């Protein structure tokens, strides 16, 4: 019996909408990462872009438990001496409402060029509106 490997161009890529309002950050991110990788499909292959497009709305209303809102730090380095910048979850949520969710999801994807392609299929919006209604996305409950 011969093994069949599906090409990315032959696969059907669906669109899903996830409403993050009042949901836990990690649960929304895990569900989105699973859809982006394509682990919900029977034709899943780890070396192929077989995942779906994911649209997340109300990203500014995502919640964290405990003291993580003040204690969790997001860091990035500017490239200059002494250029380590740190932001708490609340501060980053006020500056860029979609950034904590994006960083969490991208951290769950593979760290290679395939993971960067998967991250390109992720669309995150702070409000309730999104411009992807023409794709007839399905709602996904977390």
């Amino acid at each position: 019996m011969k093994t069949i490997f599906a090409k990315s161009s032959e696969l059907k890529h669906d669109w899903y909408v996830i409403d993050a309002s009042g949901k836990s950050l990690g649960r929304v991110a895990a569900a989105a990462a699973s859809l982006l990788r394509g682990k919900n499909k029977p034709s899943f292959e780890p070396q192929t872009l077989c995942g779906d497009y994911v649209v997340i709305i109300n990203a500014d209303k995502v919640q964290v438990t405990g003291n993580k809102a003040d204690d969790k730090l997001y860091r990035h380095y500017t490239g200059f001496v002494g250029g380590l910048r740190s932001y708490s979850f609340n501060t980053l949520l006020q500056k860029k409402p979609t950034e904590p969710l994006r960083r969490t999801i991208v951290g769950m994807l593979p760290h290679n060029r395939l993971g960067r392609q998967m991250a390109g299929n992720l669309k995150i919006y702070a409000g309730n509106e999104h411009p992807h209604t023409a794709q007839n996305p399905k709602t996904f409950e977390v």
Side-chain angles (χ1 to χ4, degrees), residues 19-29 56-65 69 74 89-90 93 97-98 100-101 104 126:
D19 187 7
S21 62
K23 306 277 184 6
S24 173
L25 174 71
R27 293 195 184 263
V28 171
I56 298 177
I57 56 175
N58 295 322
D60 55 344
K61 296 181 182 114
V62 73
Q63 294 180 345
V64 290
T65 58
Y74 292 93
F89 177 81
N90 283 337
L93 200 62
T98 61
L101 195 54
T104 306

Side-chain angles (χ1 to χ4, degrees), residues 98-119:
T98 61
E99 193 64 16
L101 195 54
R102 188 193 65 79
R103 283 189 183 201
T104 306
I105 294 170
V106 169
M108 293 181 181
L109 296 176
H111 302 292
N112 53 24
R113 64 182 91 157
L114 181 62
R116 290 188 290 275
Q117 283 181 328
M118 290 175 188

Side-chain angles (χ1 to χ4, degrees), residues 1-115:
M1 182 170 192
K2 193 173 182 183
T3 303
I4 299 171
F5 293 105
K7 294 184 177 116
S8 180
S9 59
E10 297 172 354
L11 295 172
K12 184 176 181 288
H13 301 285
D14 295 327
W15 284 76
Y16 288 97
V17 172
I18 298 176
D19 187 7
S21 62
K23 306 277 184 6
S24 173
L25 174 71
R27 293 195 184 263
V28 171
S34 179
L35 287 172
L36 286 169
R37 287 209 64 198
K39 296 192 98 172
N40 59 330
K41 295 183 175 185
S43 60
F44 170 70
E45 294 174 7
Q47 73 274 11
T48 308
L49 182 64
C50 57
D52 298 320
Y53 293 89
V54 177
V55 178
I56 298 177
I57 56 175
N58 295 322
D60 55 344
K61 296 181 182 114
V62 73
Q63 294 180 345
V64 290
T65 58
N67 294 331
K68 289 186 211 135
D70 298 321
D71 294 344
K72 184 167 180 56
L73 292 178
Y74 292 93
R75 296 179 179 98
H76 82 97
Y77 185 65
T78 63
F80 292 96
V81 176
L84 182 65
R85 303 288 184 250
S86 299
Y87 303 103
S88 69
F89 177 81
N90 283 337
T91 307
L92 192 60
L93 200 62
Q94 289 171 357
K95 284 186 170 195
K96 297 179 182 177
T98 61
E99 193 64 16
L101 195 54
R102 188 193 65 79
R103 283 189 183 201
T104 306
I105 294 170
V106 169
M108 293 181 181
L109 296 176
H111 302 292
N112 53 24
R113 64 182 91 157
L114 181 62

Side-chain angles (χ1 to χ4, degrees), residues 121-134:
N121 293 345
L122 175 67
K123 317 293 182 198
I124 303 177
Y125 298 99
N128 200 14
E129 300 296 321
H130 63 88
H132 304 288
T133 53

